[in-house]
Amino acid sequence: MPETFGVYIHVPFCRSRCRYCDFYSTLDETMISRWMDGVIREIALSPAPDSLSVDTVYFGGGTPSLLGSRDVERLLGAVDLNYGIGPDAEITLEANPGTVSLEQLKHLRAMGVNRLNFGLQSLDDRALAFLGRGHSVAEAKNAWDMARKAGFSNMGLDLIYGLPGQGIGEWEKELGKGLCFEPEHLSLYMLSIEEDTPMGRDLALGRIKAPDEGQVADLLRFTLNFMDDQGYPWYEVSNFAAAPGYQSRHNLGYWEKKPYIGFGPAAHSWLPPVRRSNVSDLGLYADLIREGKTPLDMEEELDSEAMRLESFYLGFRTRKGLDVAAFDDAFGGDFFRDYSAVLDSFERKGFIDCGGGFCRLTVKGMVFLDTITLAFCCHETG
Ligand code: SF4
């Protein structure tokens, strides 16, 4: 059983809306103080799961760097008061270029924020404009250098690939520029064009063309192999670290099914076997909290079958893979016997590799992550 849990704080404010994004956020920064009051109250009213202590705190968004450092300090104080933040806790804040200052970053570092993740998304000004990001490459570099100057030694950057017309050559150049930042961590996401976004509408109208399946597979294979060669091995299909100590402990917790509590509108929580999410509306969230009501939108208790499916979905995303002993313990079977038919077929194709108590997808298999996961989920174990 885990002895610790993660805390996620959803900061739903953005300066502008990116053209591909369907996350919940608002441009109304005058709501920050109502949001702060709501989150601090929600924290105070939420008991710690089984008296566990907090080993990761993650400020995600939205754009958490729009918060003043005093706001972050108050929020950390509330988490510490209610649960106790462990002395070696990983405290991450997502930041966007153009929304940080040296003074603010120094304060954040001094109050214990020890991991910064910059949403750069591209290092090409034309691509940034296409994505609708509110910053330039020069601002990204400036923000990054400021953070180093402020004392951050554990920094990550996010980039998006699979943009219309982007081939492996362009993507390799972009990655090269990202590596020049000397980050400790990179998150590299394939562009996902959601229907109800400006980019989704452009796609529907035929104004842009998404890469086809073959191009997506080539880009993914290239990315995993290239980053290995550059000394940033992947530990999850979209995440790469310069050393194991720089892997995101908070996000690893998600994939390893550790408990976490999310605060703020649209935040999710996982307190096994219960999954919850808050309402995705800041006004409603603040009203519910003020009235002493829970801001829950959804709560469900996962049965054993749902937990089994989740073990595949989460386990196969990671390089470590599915923990076979933990799986057998949780579901009372014999994984190698029960799934021998699917295992044999995928092993023969070179998609899966089992050993050391884990079953993991190879780079070749990662290209078919969804299909392989589905095959395990649908397999009748008798
Ligand atoms: S900054 Fe992040 S959350 Fe805000 S619109 Fe852009 S992608 Fe979405």
Side-chain angles (χ1 to χ4, degrees):
M1 276 298 287
E3 289 161 3
T4 54
F5 71 104
V7 165
Y8 174 81
I9 297 179
H10 187 69
V11 187
F13 302 98
C14 293
R15 280 272 153 87
S16 58
R17 292 287 303 164
C18 304
R19 300 190 70 252
Y20 56 91
C21 178
D22 69 345
F23 290 171
Y24 173 67
S25 70
T26 169
L27 304 182
D28 185 1
E29 291 176 45
T30 63
M31 291 284 283
I32 288 183
S33 65
R34 271 186 85 191
W35 171 83
M36 282 287 298
D37 292 345
V39 172
I40 286 178
R41 191 127 185 238
E42 192 189 0
I43 292 170
L45 295 174
S46 307
D50 297 331
S51 311
L52 308 180
S53 71
V54 175
D55 76 334
T56 64
V57 181
Y58 196 102
F59 291 89
T63 308
S65 49
L66 286 176
L67 295 180
S69 50
R70 296 287 167 231
D71 291 339
V72 175
E73 191 167 24
R74 270 182 74 205
L75 291 162
L76 284 175
V79 173
D80 194 31
L81 185 70
N82 208 40
Y83 308 119
I85 300 179
D88 301 321
E90 174 192 272
I91 302 178
T92 305
L93 185 125
E94 287 181 351
N96 279 343
T99 65
V100 291
S101 70
L102 182 58
E103 194 192 359
Q104 169 205 22
L105 290 166
K106 280 183 178 166
H107 278 155
L108 290 171
R109 185 67 200 95
M111 75 183 60
V113 176
N114 49 26
R115 190 168 178 275
L116 214 54
N117 197 70
F118 274 101
L120 303 191
Q121 314 311 356
S122 175
L123 289 163
D124 176 282
D125 279 326
R126 277 182 33 211
L128 285 171
F130 170 76
L131 293 167
R133 299 292 296 178
H135 69 266
S136 64
V137 175
E139 280 173 312
K141 182 77 180 96
N142 187 35
W144 186 268
D145 291 345
M146 260 195 297
R148 287 291 193 215
K149 213 178 274 174
F152 283 95
S153 56
N154 186 0
M155 288 173 36
L157 58 86
D158 295 356
L159 294 175
I160 294 177
Y161 65 107
L163 272 56
Q166 184 185 46
I168 286 181
E170 289 86 21
W171 175 227
E172 181 174 358
K173 262 189 229 148
E174 179 105 13
L175 277 176
K177 289 188 211 167
L179 294 174
C180 287
F181 281 60
E182 300 184 3
E184 282 70 39
H185 188 276
L186 290 102
S187 296
L188 307 173
Y189 299 108
M190 184 76 72
L191 176 65
S192 156
I193 304 182
E194 307 301 331
E195 249 176 57
D196 201 16
T197 60
M199 205 176 275
R201 288 185 277 280
D202 280 352
L203 185 67
L205 291 170
R207 290 189 189 130
I208 56 170
K209 197 167 170 282
D212 64 31
E213 267 182 37
Q215 290 166 320
V216 166
D218 288 346
L219 281 164
L220 177 62
R221 244 188 317 263
F222 167 78
T223 305
L224 298 178
N225 288 327
F226 178 80
M227 293 302 285
D228 260 3
D229 293 345
Q230 300 298 314
Y232 287 85
W234 58 280
Y235 63 99
E236 192 265 351
V237 63
S238 304
N239 286 284
F240 306 78
Y246 293 128
Q247 295 177 359
S248 164
R249 242 196 287 160
H250 185 82
N251 289 338
L252 273 173
Y254 293 151
W255 303 313
E256 290 171 358
K257 298 203 289 179
K258 273 181 64 177
Y260 61 88
I261 311 187
F263 298 105
H268 291 246
S269 303
W270 167 239
L271 297 170
V274 177
R275 183 170 294 296
R276 293 188 189 130
S277 61
N278 282 351
V279 291
S280 298
D281 178 315
L282 177 51
L284 177 61
Y285 168 84
D287 288 346
L288 287 169
I289 297 263
R290 203 190 47 239
E291 291 161 16
K293 295 182 184 153
T294 149
L296 281 191
D297 177 44
M298 180 281 292
E299 178 171 51
E300 63 169 337
E301 185 169 332
L302 299 196
D303 60 16
S304 169
E305 177 61 5
M307 298 270 272
R308 183 181 72 89
L309 304 190
E310 199 155 88
S311 296
F312 290 127
Y313 274 111
L314 298 174
F316 284 150
R317 300 184 66 81
T318 65
R319 191 166 203 165
K320 206 158 102 181
L322 181 89
D323 181 335
V324 174
F327 186 90
D328 286 350
D329 270 0
F331 305 108
D334 178 333
F335 177 77
F336 287 115
R337 182 199 63 210
D338 298 341
Y339 293 90
S340 61
V342 259
L343 274 172
D344 284 352
S345 122
F346 288 134
E347 270 181 322
R348 250 182 287 117
K349 290 178 180 135
F351 291 165
I352 274 198
D353 169 40
C354 295
F358 287 82
C359 263
R360 61 196 73 81
L361 300 197
T362 59
V363 168
K364 208 170 153 193
M366 266 298 165
V367 169
F368 304 105
L369 171 64
D370 291 340
T371 312
I372 294 173
T373 303
L374 202 62
F376 276 89
C377 290
C378 297
H379 181 68
E380 292 289 338
T381 58

